[in-house]
Amino acid sequence: MKMPLQVDAITHAHPKQIIAKGEAVISAGSSTDMAYYLLSGSAKSQVKGIDGQSFVSGHVISLVSFLGLERYDSDVIATSPCEVLVMPRLLIEHHWSDEDSTSWVFACSMAADAIKKHQALTQDYHMVIA
Protein backbone atom coordinates (compact mmCIF):
# COMPACT_ATOMS: atom_id res chain seq x y z
CA MET A 1 0.00 0.00 0.00
CA LYS A 2 1.36 3.39 -0.91
CA MET A 3 1.45 6.18 1.62
CA PRO A 4 1.89 9.90 0.93
CA LEU A 5 5.47 9.97 2.15
CA GLN A 6 8.14 12.25 0.77
CA VAL A 7 11.39 10.30 0.75
CA ASP A 8 13.60 13.35 1.11
CA ALA A 9 16.72 14.42 3.00
CA ILE A 10 15.04 13.85 6.38
CA THR A 11 14.11 10.23 5.69
CA HIS A 12 17.41 9.52 3.92
CA ALA A 13 19.08 10.15 7.28
CA HIS A 14 17.59 6.88 8.53
CA PRO A 15 19.21 3.49 8.00
CA LYS A 16 18.80 1.50 4.83
CA GLN A 17 18.93 -2.26 4.64
CA ILE A 18 19.97 -4.33 1.65
CA ILE A 19 18.07 -7.59 1.70
CA ALA A 20 18.80 -10.57 -0.55
CA LYS A 21 16.08 -12.44 -2.42
CA GLY A 22 14.47 -15.02 -0.14
CA GLU A 23 15.48 -13.25 3.09
CA ALA A 24 13.03 -11.76 5.60
CA VAL A 25 12.35 -8.04 5.32
CA ILE A 26 10.03 -8.21 8.35
CA SER A 27 9.49 -11.15 10.68
CA ALA A 28 6.09 -11.88 12.19
CA GLY A 29 6.10 -10.75 15.82
CA SER A 30 8.52 -7.85 15.24
CA SER A 31 7.51 -4.61 16.91
CA THR A 32 5.77 -2.02 14.74
CA ASP A 33 7.97 0.73 16.19
CA MET A 34 9.68 0.94 12.78
CA ALA A 35 8.21 1.38 9.31
CA TYR A 36 9.82 -0.21 6.27
CA TYR A 37 9.73 1.75 2.99
CA LEU A 38 10.70 -0.23 -0.10
CA LEU A 39 13.13 1.89 -2.12
CA SER A 40 13.79 -0.84 -4.70
CA GLY A 41 12.93 -4.46 -5.26
CA SER A 42 9.86 -6.49 -4.41
CA ALA A 43 8.58 -8.51 -1.47
CA LYS A 44 5.58 -10.62 -0.48
CA SER A 45 3.91 -11.26 2.86
CA GLN A 46 3.52 -14.86 4.02
CA VAL A 47 1.34 -16.32 6.72
CA LYS A 48 2.11 -19.96 7.51
CA GLY A 49 3.76 -20.38 4.11
CA ILE A 50 0.82 -18.94 2.14
CA ASP A 51 1.64 -15.98 -0.10
CA GLY A 52 -0.21 -12.77 0.66
CA GLN A 53 0.13 -9.14 -0.35
CA SER A 54 2.85 -8.09 -2.80
CA PHE A 55 4.98 -4.98 -2.30
CA VAL A 56 7.05 -3.04 -4.85
CA SER A 57 9.20 0.10 -4.86
CA GLY A 58 7.39 3.02 -3.26
CA HIS A 59 5.35 0.92 -0.84
CA VAL A 60 5.42 1.07 2.92
CA ILE A 61 5.55 -2.64 3.71
CA SER A 62 2.59 -3.94 5.75
CA LEU A 63 1.26 -0.43 6.35
CA VAL A 64 -2.04 -1.59 7.86
CA SER A 65 -0.23 -3.79 10.38
CA PHE A 66 2.19 -0.94 11.14
CA LEU A 67 -0.70 1.43 11.86
CA GLY A 68 -3.08 -0.92 13.65
CA LEU A 69 -0.98 -3.45 15.58
CA GLU A 70 1.80 -3.49 18.16
CA ARG A 71 3.57 -6.30 16.30
CA TYR A 72 3.72 -7.27 12.63
CA ASP A 73 1.40 -10.21 12.01
CA SER A 74 3.14 -11.86 9.06
CA ASP A 75 6.55 -12.51 7.59
CA VAL A 76 7.51 -10.41 4.57
CA ILE A 77 10.04 -12.10 2.29
CA ALA A 78 12.08 -10.39 -0.43
CA THR A 79 11.12 -11.77 -3.86
CA SER A 80 14.05 -9.88 -5.41
CA PRO A 81 17.03 -8.04 -3.94
CA CYS A 82 15.59 -5.09 -1.93
CA GLU A 83 16.76 -1.77 -0.57
CA VAL A 84 14.59 -0.80 2.40
CA LEU A 85 14.50 2.48 4.29
CA VAL A 86 13.83 1.91 8.01
CA MET A 87 12.03 4.78 9.77
CA PRO A 88 10.88 5.19 13.37
CA ARG A 89 7.16 5.29 14.08
CA LEU A 90 7.42 8.83 15.47
CA LEU A 91 8.77 10.13 12.15
CA ILE A 92 5.72 8.77 10.31
CA GLU A 93 3.38 10.08 13.00
CA HIS A 94 4.91 13.58 12.84
CA HIS A 95 4.81 13.55 9.04
CA TRP A 96 1.10 12.78 9.04
CA SER A 97 0.38 15.21 11.88
CA ASP A 98 2.00 18.03 9.89
CA GLU A 99 -0.73 17.62 7.26
CA ASP A 100 -3.62 17.49 9.73
CA SER A 101 -3.52 16.88 13.47
CA THR A 102 -6.27 14.24 13.31
CA SER A 103 -4.99 12.30 10.29
CA TRP A 104 -2.63 10.01 12.28
CA VAL A 105 -5.33 9.00 14.75
CA PHE A 106 -7.79 8.49 11.91
CA ALA A 107 -5.34 6.34 9.92
CA CYS A 108 -4.55 4.15 12.95
CA SER A 109 -8.25 3.77 13.75
CA MET A 110 -9.09 2.79 10.17
CA ALA A 111 -6.24 0.25 10.15
CA ALA A 112 -7.41 -1.29 13.44
CA ASP A 113 -10.97 -1.61 12.08
CA ALA A 114 -9.69 -3.23 8.87
CA ILE A 115 -7.64 -5.73 10.87
CA LYS A 116 -10.63 -6.63 13.08
CA LYS A 117 -12.83 -7.21 10.03
CA HIS A 118 -10.15 -9.30 8.33
CA GLN A 119 -9.64 -11.39 11.46
CA ALA A 120 -13.41 -11.97 11.79
CA LEU A 121 -13.68 -13.04 8.14
CA THR A 122 -10.66 -15.33 8.46
CA GLN A 123 -12.05 -16.88 11.63
CA ASP A 124 -15.47 -17.47 10.00
CA TYR A 125 -13.74 -19.00 6.96
CA HIS A 126 -11.75 -21.43 9.10
CA MET A 127 -14.90 -22.43 11.01
CA VAL A 128 -16.69 -23.29 7.73
CA ILE A 129 -13.73 -25.38 6.51
CA ALA A 130 -13.43 -27.31 9.80
Side-chain angles (χ1 to χ4, degrees), residues 6-8 13 16 25 43 45-50 54 58 64 76 84 89 104 107 109-110 112-114 120 124:
Q6 298 254 338
V7 180
D8 55 16
K16 295 179 194 100
V25 178
S45 64
Q46 291 185 339
V47 178
K48 298 179 184 174
I50 299 170
S54 295
V64 173
V76 177
V84 179
R89 180 178 209 69
W104 174 256
S109 175
M110 293 287 292
D113 284 347
D124 288 346

PDB file of all heavy atoms in Angstrom, residues 6-8 13 16 25 43 45-50 54 58 64 76 84 89 104 107 109-110 112-114 120 124:
ATOM      1  N   GLN A   6       7.072  11.660   1.564  1.00  0.00           N
ATOM      2  CA  GLN A   6       8.137  12.249   0.775  1.00  0.00           C
ATOM      3  C   GLN A   6       9.463  11.653   1.252  1.00  0.00           C
ATOM      4  O   GLN A   6       9.864  11.882   2.383  1.00  0.00           O
ATOM      5  CB  GLN A   6       8.155  13.763   0.978  1.00  0.00           C
ATOM      6  CG  GLN A   6       6.898  14.431   0.518  1.00  0.00           C
ATOM      7  CD  GLN A   6       7.111  15.190  -0.770  1.00  0.00           C
ATOM      8  OE1 GLN A   6       8.216  15.542  -1.104  1.00  0.00           O
ATOM      9  NE2 GLN A   6       6.043  15.423  -1.485  1.00  0.00           N
ATOM     10  N   VAL A   7      10.094  10.867   0.392  1.00  0.00           N
ATOM     11  CA  VAL A   7      11.394  10.302   0.753  1.00  0.00           C
ATOM     12  C   VAL A   7      12.423  11.360   0.385  1.00  0.00           C
ATOM     13  O   VAL A   7      12.913  11.431  -0.718  1.00  0.00           O
ATOM     14  CB  VAL A   7      11.655   8.970   0.029  1.00  0.00           C
ATOM     15  CG1 VAL A   7      13.002   8.406   0.429  1.00  0.00           C
ATOM     16  CG2 VAL A   7      10.548   7.987   0.340  1.00  0.00           C
ATOM     17  N   ASP A   8      12.721  12.208   1.351  1.00  0.00           N
ATOM     18  CA  ASP A   8      13.602  13.350   1.109  1.00  0.00           C
ATOM     19  C   ASP A   8      14.819  13.280   2.030  1.00  0.00           C
ATOM     20  O   ASP A   8      15.123  12.235   2.590  1.00  0.00           O
ATOM     21  CB  ASP A   8      12.832  14.654   1.290  1.00  0.00           C
ATOM     22  CG  ASP A   8      12.163  14.744   2.661  1.00  0.00           C
ATOM     23  OD1 ASP A   8      12.533  13.967   3.572  1.00  0.00           O
ATOM     24  OD2 ASP A   8      11.276  15.583   2.829  1.00  0.00           O
ATOM     25  N   ALA A  13      18.188  10.193   6.125  1.00  0.00           N
ATOM     26  CA  ALA A  13      19.081  10.148   7.278  1.00  0.00           C
ATOM     27  C   ALA A  13      18.899   8.864   8.086  1.00  0.00           C
ATOM     28  O   ALA A  13      19.708   8.562   8.949  1.00  0.00           O
ATOM     29  CB  ALA A  13      18.844  11.361   8.167  1.00  0.00           C
ATOM     30  N   LYS A  16      19.303   2.298   5.933  1.00  0.00           N
ATOM     31  CA  LYS A  16      18.799   1.497   4.827  1.00  0.00           C
ATOM     32  C   LYS A  16      19.330   0.078   5.013  1.00  0.00           C
ATOM     33  O   LYS A  16      20.420  -0.124   5.514  1.00  0.00           O
ATOM     34  CB  LYS A  16      19.281   2.055   3.498  1.00  0.00           C
ATOM     35  CG  LYS A  16      18.730   3.416   3.190  1.00  0.00           C
ATOM     36  CD  LYS A  16      19.273   3.902   1.856  1.00  0.00           C
ATOM     37  CE  LYS A  16      19.017   5.356   1.711  1.00  0.00           C
ATOM     38  NZ  LYS A  16      20.131   6.210   2.001  1.00  0.00           N
ATOM     39  N   VAL A  25      12.322  -9.493   5.183  1.00  0.00           N
ATOM     40  CA  VAL A  25      12.353  -8.035   5.320  1.00  0.00           C
ATOM     41  C   VAL A  25      11.784  -7.696   6.696  1.00  0.00           C
ATOM     42  O   VAL A  25      12.333  -6.872   7.421  1.00  0.00           O
ATOM     43  CB  VAL A  25      11.531  -7.354   4.208  1.00  0.00           C
ATOM     44  CG1 VAL A  25      11.528  -5.843   4.381  1.00  0.00           C
ATOM     45  CG2 VAL A  25      12.046  -7.745   2.837  1.00  0.00           C
ATOM     46  N   ALA A  43       8.714  -7.604  -2.605  1.00  0.00           N
ATOM     47  CA  ALA A  43       8.577  -8.513  -1.465  1.00  0.00           C
ATOM     48  C   ALA A  43       7.134  -8.996  -1.395  1.00  0.00           C
ATOM     49  O   ALA A  43       6.243  -8.427  -2.026  1.00  0.00           O
ATOM     50  CB  ALA A  43       8.967  -7.793  -0.175  1.00  0.00           C
ATOM     51  N   SER A  45       4.196 -10.793   1.509  1.00  0.00           N
ATOM     52  CA  SER A  45       3.907 -11.263   2.861  1.00  0.00           C
ATOM     53  C   SER A  45       3.548 -12.744   2.812  1.00  0.00           C
ATOM     54  O   SER A  45       3.054 -13.242   1.800  1.00  0.00           O
ATOM     55  CB  SER A  45       2.764 -10.454   3.490  1.00  0.00           C
ATOM     56  OG  SER A  45       1.567 -10.655   2.786  1.00  0.00           O
ATOM     57  N   GLN A  46       3.825 -13.433   3.915  1.00  0.00           N
ATOM     58  CA  GLN A  46       3.522 -14.861   4.020  1.00  0.00           C
ATOM     59  C   GLN A  46       2.996 -15.150   5.423  1.00  0.00           C
ATOM     60  O   GLN A  46       3.593 -14.729   6.406  1.00  0.00           O
ATOM     61  CB  GLN A  46       4.757 -15.715   3.792  1.00  0.00           C
ATOM     62  CG  GLN A  46       5.266 -15.691   2.382  1.00  0.00           C
ATOM     63  CD  GLN A  46       6.421 -16.653   2.188  1.00  0.00           C
ATOM     64  OE1 GLN A  46       7.088 -17.059   3.126  1.00  0.00           O
ATOM     65  NE2 GLN A  46       6.662 -17.009   0.945  1.00  0.00           N
ATOM     66  N   VAL A  47       1.888 -15.857   5.458  1.00  0.00           N
ATOM     67  CA  VAL A  47       1.335 -16.321   6.724  1.00  0.00           C
ATOM     68  C   VAL A  47       1.279 -17.836   6.635  1.00  0.00           C
ATOM     69  O   VAL A  47       0.600 -18.390   5.764  1.00  0.00           O
ATOM     70  CB  VAL A  47      -0.081 -15.755   6.977  1.00  0.00           C
ATOM     71  CG1 VAL A  47      -0.655 -16.282   8.267  1.00  0.00           C
ATOM     72  CG2 VAL A  47      -0.049 -14.233   6.982  1.00  0.00           C
ATOM     73  N   LYS A  48       2.039 -18.500   7.495  1.00  0.00           N
ATOM     74  CA  LYS A  48       2.109 -19.963   7.507  1.00  0.00           C
ATOM     75  C   LYS A  48       2.390 -20.529   6.119  1.00  0.00           C
ATOM     76  O   LYS A  48       1.766 -21.470   5.663  1.00  0.00           O
ATOM     77  CB  LYS A  48       0.825 -20.553   8.091  1.00  0.00           C
ATOM     78  CG  LYS A  48       0.590 -20.156   9.523  1.00  0.00           C
ATOM     79  CD  LYS A  48      -0.682 -20.732  10.067  1.00  0.00           C
ATOM     80  CE  LYS A  48      -0.902 -20.225  11.482  1.00  0.00           C
ATOM     81  NZ  LYS A  48      -2.174 -20.613  12.043  1.00  0.00           N
ATOM     82  N   GLY A  49       3.327 -19.884   5.405  1.00  0.00           N
ATOM     83  CA  GLY A  49       3.760 -20.382   4.108  1.00  0.00           C
ATOM     84  C   GLY A  49       2.856 -20.020   2.942  1.00  0.00           C
ATOM     85  O   GLY A  49       3.145 -20.346   1.805  1.00  0.00           O
ATOM     86  N   ILE A  50       1.742 -19.334   3.204  1.00  0.00           N
ATOM     87  CA  ILE A  50       0.819 -18.943   2.142  1.00  0.00           C
ATOM     88  C   ILE A  50       1.150 -17.514   1.720  1.00  0.00           C
ATOM     89  O   ILE A  50       1.245 -16.612   2.552  1.00  0.00           O
ATOM     90  CB  ILE A  50      -0.641 -19.020   2.631  1.00  0.00           C
ATOM     91  CG1 ILE A  50      -0.976 -20.456   3.027  1.00  0.00           C
ATOM     92  CG2 ILE A  50      -1.599 -18.511   1.560  1.00  0.00           C
ATOM     93  CD1 ILE A  50      -2.299 -20.612   3.735  1.00  0.00           C
ATOM     94  N   SER A  54       1.581  -8.394  -2.144  1.00  0.00           N
ATOM     95  CA  SER A  54       2.850  -8.086  -2.803  1.00  0.00           C
ATOM     96  C   SER A  54       3.193  -6.619  -2.598  1.00  0.00           C
ATOM     97  O   SER A  54       2.307  -5.767  -2.553  1.00  0.00           O
ATOM     98  CB  SER A  54       2.751  -8.364  -4.300  1.00  0.00           C
ATOM     99  OG  SER A  54       2.567  -9.740  -4.516  1.00  0.00           O
ATOM    100  N   GLY A  58       8.323   1.957  -3.576  1.00  0.00           N
ATOM    101  CA  GLY A  58       7.389   3.020  -3.255  1.00  0.00           C
ATOM    102  C   GLY A  58       6.345   2.638  -2.224  1.00  0.00           C
ATOM    103  O   GLY A  58       5.576   3.484  -1.781  1.00  0.00           O
ATOM    104  N   VAL A  64      -0.880  -1.412   6.976  1.00  0.00           N
ATOM    105  CA  VAL A  64      -2.038  -1.587   7.857  1.00  0.00           C
ATOM    106  C   VAL A  64      -1.607  -2.196   9.187  1.00  0.00           C
ATOM    107  O   VAL A  64      -2.028  -1.747  10.252  1.00  0.00           O
ATOM    108  CB  VAL A  64      -3.143  -2.419   7.165  1.00  0.00           C
ATOM    109  CG1 VAL A  64      -4.276  -2.739   8.127  1.00  0.00           C
ATOM    110  CG2 VAL A  64      -3.680  -1.675   5.947  1.00  0.00           C
ATOM    111  N   VAL A  76       7.416 -10.997   5.908  1.00  0.00           N
ATOM    112  CA  VAL A  76       7.512 -10.410   4.572  1.00  0.00           C
ATOM    113  C   VAL A  76       8.868 -10.821   4.026  1.00  0.00           C
ATOM    114  O   VAL A  76       9.905 -10.542   4.634  1.00  0.00           O
ATOM    115  CB  VAL A  76       7.364  -8.875   4.602  1.00  0.00           C
ATOM    116  CG1 VAL A  76       7.535  -8.302   3.197  1.00  0.00           C
ATOM    117  CG2 VAL A  76       6.009  -8.473   5.186  1.00  0.00           C
ATOM    118  N   VAL A  84      15.688  -1.200   1.523  1.00  0.00           N
ATOM    119  CA  VAL A  84      14.590  -0.799   2.398  1.00  0.00           C
ATOM    120  C   VAL A  84      15.053   0.319   3.315  1.00  0.00           C
ATOM    121  O   VAL A  84      16.109   0.220   3.948  1.00  0.00           O
ATOM    122  CB  VAL A  84      14.106  -2.006   3.241  1.00  0.00           C
ATOM    123  CG1 VAL A  84      12.985  -1.616   4.176  1.00  0.00           C
ATOM    124  CG2 VAL A  84      13.677  -3.153   2.331  1.00  0.00           C
ATOM    125  N   ARG A  89       8.589   4.996  14.028  1.00  0.00           N
ATOM    126  CA  ARG A  89       7.157   5.288  14.080  1.00  0.00           C
ATOM    127  C   ARG A  89       6.895   6.783  14.289  1.00  0.00           C
ATOM    128  O   ARG A  89       6.011   7.352  13.643  1.00  0.00           O
ATOM    129  CB  ARG A  89       6.530   4.468  15.201  1.00  0.00           C
ATOM    130  CG  ARG A  89       5.046   4.672  15.383  1.00  0.00           C
ATOM    131  CD  ARG A  89       4.532   3.761  16.502  1.00  0.00           C
ATOM    132  NE  ARG A  89       3.168   3.400  16.310  1.00  0.00           N
ATOM    133  CZ  ARG A  89       2.671   2.612  15.367  1.00  0.00           C
ATOM    134  NH1 ARG A  89       3.461   2.058  14.499  1.00  0.00           N
ATOM    135  NH2 ARG A  89       1.390   2.360  15.281  1.00  0.00           N
ATOM    136  N   TRP A 104      -3.332  11.184  11.726  1.00  0.00           N
ATOM    137  CA  TRP A 104      -2.632  10.013  12.278  1.00  0.00           C
ATOM    138  C   TRP A 104      -3.602   9.141  13.062  1.00  0.00           C
ATOM    139  O   TRP A 104      -3.665   7.930  12.856  1.00  0.00           O
ATOM    140  CB  TRP A 104      -1.464  10.448  13.153  1.00  0.00           C
ATOM    141  CG  TRP A 104      -0.803   9.310  13.853  1.00  0.00           C
ATOM    142  CD1 TRP A 104      -0.916   8.975  15.164  1.00  0.00           C
ATOM    143  CD2 TRP A 104       0.053   8.321  13.268  1.00  0.00           C
ATOM    144  NE1 TRP A 104      -0.183   7.841  15.441  1.00  0.00           N
ATOM    145  CE2 TRP A 104       0.421   7.428  14.290  1.00  0.00           C
ATOM    146  CE3 TRP A 104       0.536   8.114  11.992  1.00  0.00           C
ATOM    147  CZ2 TRP A 104       1.257   6.350  14.071  1.00  0.00           C
ATOM    148  CZ3 TRP A 104       1.382   7.021  11.775  1.00  0.00           C
ATOM    149  CH2 TRP A 104       1.728   6.160  12.801  1.00  0.00           C
ATOM    150  N   ALA A 107      -5.986   7.424  10.666  1.00  0.00           N
ATOM    151  CA  ALA A 107      -5.337   6.338   9.922  1.00  0.00           C
ATOM    152  C   ALA A 107      -5.172   5.096  10.795  1.00  0.00           C
ATOM    153  O   ALA A 107      -5.450   3.971  10.362  1.00  0.00           O
ATOM    154  CB  ALA A 107      -3.986   6.793   9.385  1.00  0.00           C
ATOM    155  N   SER A 109      -6.917   4.287  13.454  1.00  0.00           N
ATOM    156  CA  SER A 109      -8.252   3.770  13.747  1.00  0.00           C
ATOM    157  C   SER A 109      -8.796   2.963  12.566  1.00  0.00           C
ATOM    158  O   SER A 109      -9.353   1.877  12.746  1.00  0.00           O
ATOM    159  CB  SER A 109      -9.189   4.936  14.081  1.00  0.00           C
ATOM    160  OG  SER A 109     -10.503   4.474  14.259  1.00  0.00           O
ATOM    161  N   MET A 110      -8.631   3.490  11.367  1.00  0.00           N
ATOM    162  CA  MET A 110      -9.089   2.786  10.167  1.00  0.00           C
ATOM    163  C   MET A 110      -8.338   1.461   9.999  1.00  0.00           C
ATOM    164  O   MET A 110      -8.935   0.443   9.647  1.00  0.00           O
ATOM    165  CB  MET A 110      -8.888   3.659   8.926  1.00  0.00           C
ATOM    166  CG  MET A 110      -9.763   4.885   8.887  1.00  0.00           C
ATOM    167  SD  MET A 110     -11.469   4.516   8.525  1.00  0.00           S
ATOM    168  CE  MET A 110     -11.326   3.990   6.848  1.00  0.00           C
ATOM    169  N   ALA A 112      -6.947  -0.365  12.396  1.00  0.00           N
ATOM    170  CA  ALA A 112      -7.411  -1.291  13.439  1.00  0.00           C
ATOM    171  C   ALA A 112      -8.756  -1.902  13.056  1.00  0.00           C
ATOM    172  O   ALA A 112      -8.973  -3.110  13.232  1.00  0.00           O
ATOM    173  CB  ALA A 112      -7.491  -0.577  14.778  1.00  0.00           C
ATOM    174  N   ASP A 113      -9.665  -1.093  12.521  1.00  0.00           N
ATOM    175  CA  ASP A 113     -10.969  -1.613  12.076  1.00  0.00           C
ATOM    176  C   ASP A 113     -10.795  -2.622  10.943  1.00  0.00           C
ATOM    177  O   ASP A 113     -11.450  -3.663  10.931  1.00  0.00           O
ATOM    178  CB  ASP A 113     -11.874  -0.476  11.615  1.00  0.00           C
ATOM    179  CG  ASP A 113     -12.457   0.326  12.766  1.00  0.00           C
ATOM    180  OD1 ASP A 113     -12.361  -0.132  13.925  1.00  0.00           O
ATOM    181  OD2 ASP A 113     -13.015   1.410  12.496  1.00  0.00           O
ATOM    182  N   ALA A 114      -9.936  -2.321   9.985  1.00  0.00           N
ATOM    183  CA  ALA A 114      -9.695  -3.227   8.869  1.00  0.00           C
ATOM    184  C   ALA A 114      -9.140  -4.561   9.360  1.00  0.00           C
ATOM    185  O   ALA A 114      -9.547  -5.629   8.880  1.00  0.00           O
ATOM    186  CB  ALA A 114      -8.745  -2.591   7.858  1.00  0.00           C
ATOM    187  N   ALA A 120     -12.077 -11.360  11.664  1.00  0.00           N
ATOM    188  CA  ALA A 120     -13.407 -11.969  11.788  1.00  0.00           C
ATOM    189  C   ALA A 120     -13.731 -12.809  10.552  1.00  0.00           C
ATOM    190  O   ALA A 120     -14.234 -13.936  10.677  1.00  0.00           O
ATOM    191  CB  ALA A 120     -14.471 -10.890  11.989  1.00  0.00           C
ATOM    192  N   ASP A 124     -14.252 -16.846  10.541  1.00  0.00           N
ATOM    193  CA  ASP A 124     -15.468 -17.466   9.999  1.00  0.00           C
ATOM    194  C   ASP A 124     -15.136 -18.471   8.905  1.00  0.00           C
ATOM    195  O   ASP A 124     -15.708 -19.538   8.825  1.00  0.00           O
ATOM    196  CB  ASP A 124     -16.406 -16.388   9.443  1.00  0.00           C
ATOM    197  CG  ASP A 124     -17.062 -15.566  10.535  1.00  0.00           C
ATOM    198  OD1 ASP A 124     -17.016 -15.981  11.710  1.00  0.00           O
ATOM    199  OD2 ASP A 124     -17.604 -14.487  10.211  1.00  0.00           O
TER     200      ASP A 124
END
